[in-house]
Amino acid sequence: MRLTVRVQPGARETVVGGRYGSEDPPVLVVRVSERAVDGRANRACVAALAAALGIRAREIKIVAGAASRTKLVEVAGADPCRVAGLLLNRRE
């Protein structure tokens, strides 16, 4: 499964949930406390997604947008219902 995520580095806490914009396909928001320096935010994004989806971090790969806030990630073994729940879960 491929997901588009919008990473917000430097957040107060690491949180996965909510939808960015109104585009289709939906864009999942991933807030991470790490700064976007030396790939730290990307690693934190993968770890946060893995925890939220209940899978291992090695099952997630950033396939496009590694240097951008909007990324395309390949996720193996994720439950589509769980992804849909995260998109609906709006955390401020």
Side-chain angles (χ1 to χ4, degrees), residues 10-75:
R12 289 184 191 184
E13 61 182 340
T14 298
V15 178
V16 177
R19 184 177 177 151
Y20 178 79
S22 59
E23 298 175 20
D24 199 34
V27 178
L28 179 64
V29 175
V30 180
R31 293 178 181 90
V32 295
S33 57
E34 293 289 337
R35 297 277 178 202
V37 177
D38 297 328
R40 287 187 219 153
N42 284 343
R43 289 189 294 275
C45 171
V46 168
L49 276 173
L53 296 172
I55 59 176
R56 295 180 183 147
R58 67 178 181 220
E59 295 180 89
I60 299 174
K61 180 181 178 185
I62 298 174
V63 294
S68 171
R69 287 183 182 220
T70 303
K71 303 174 187 314
L72 182 63
V73 295
E74 182 76 37
V75 181

Side-chain angles (χ1 to χ4, degrees), residues 1-15:
M1 159 188 294
R2 287 192 173 200
L3 296 173
T4 304
V5 298
R6 177 73 176 191
V7 179
Q8 296 175 351
R12 289 184 191 184
E13 61 182 340
T14 298
V15 178

